[in-house]
Amino acid sequence: MTSSTRTSDTRTRLVESAASLFSKQGYGGTGIKTVLADAEAPYGSLYHFFPGGKEDLGVAALRFGGERYRKQIEAFHPAGADPVEATERSFQHAADLLAATDYEDACPIATMALEAANTHESLRVAAAEAFESWLDVLAARFAEAGMTPARAREVAVECFCLMEGAVMLARTTRSPEPLHVSGRAAASLVTAALA
């Protein structure tokens, strides 16, 4: 393995570990030593790759998690798919994933966004950009299906809020029911907007 390959792998491991740990334990609840141990990375590598320390790593973790989740949204809402069925499938998948991971594997952005929105501007901006990229995918698919751009954006925001709220309630109640209920509501919303 070349030195440049090792360096790239170390940075990737740091970002992936931070994204996972921050989303599960929170930004403030996860120490740098925990991230370094999970990533199997030497201490000096943090400041080599992230001169701004934990906050720079947090921004990278939010961007990584946001991009990974955007790809999931695109997979559940591919171009040309029925938007009502795609919406139903996405909520069902979220319910199945939460149950399968003992309600641990959820939104890669929400925990950090809620925690850091008023205290770390760079983290707030990175979270907002991630969320916006998800809304762009949904709005584009809804517009392709026949909604006006303005209505497609509104429905995307409404579906997003239904999903995020349902995930939070499902995690705290340890039940998939909120996702089933919200999934039906989101599918009805999309159906009505297309009528």
Side-chain angles (χ1 to χ4, degrees):
M1 185 182 294
T2 66
S3 174
S4 64
T5 303
R6 250 190 318 252
T7 301
S8 176
D9 289 344
T10 301
R11 184 185 190 286
T12 299
R13 286 194 319 270
L14 282 167
V15 172
E16 289 176 349
S17 290
S20 176
L21 291 166
F22 292 161
S23 73
K24 293 174 186 167
Q25 300 174 181
Y27 179 75
T30 306
I32 288 300
K33 289 181 181 179
T34 303
V35 175
L36 290 167
D38 188 70
E40 299 178 353
Y43 189 80
S45 63
L46 174 70
Y47 293 99
H48 172 75
F49 293 111
F50 305 99
K54 185 178 181 181
E55 191 162 336
D56 280 1
L57 178 60
V59 168
L62 284 167
R63 289 182 176 148
F64 170 79
E67 174 68 14
R68 188 180 62 192
Y69 200 77
R70 183 187 58 75
K71 288 177 180 176
Q72 268 193 339
I73 293 170
E74 288 174 336
F76 280 96
H77 295 268
D82 179 287
V84 176
E85 290 177 11
T87 299
E88 290 170 341
R89 277 194 314 272
S90 66
F91 276 81
Q92 184 59 54
H93 172 75
D96 294 344
L97 181 63
L98 278 174
T101 61
D102 199 27
Y103 297 90
E104 190 173 272
D105 193 359
C107 176
I109 308 298
T111 302
M112 284 181 67
L114 290 171
E115 181 181 0
N118 293 328
T119 57
H120 296 84
E121 181 64 9
S122 63
L123 298 179
R124 183 200 65 75
V125 169
E129 289 170 352
F131 288 149
E132 191 61 38
S133 74
W134 305 351
L135 292 171
D136 287 346
V137 172
L138 293 174
R141 297 304 180 257
F142 295 153
E144 289 167 7
M147 294 181 204
T148 66
R151 186 62 183 136
R153 168 71 184 191
E154 289 176 352
V155 173
V157 170
E158 291 169 320
C159 286
F160 170 83
C161 291
L162 283 165
M163 176 69 81
E164 289 295 321
V167 166
M168 183 169 39
L169 188 56
R171 288 185 77 188
T172 56
T173 61
R174 303 187 76 70
S175 167
E177 181 188 16
L179 281 154
H180 297 305
V181 171
S182 294
R184 289 190 297 272
S188 294
L189 172 70
V190 173
T191 300
L194 289 169

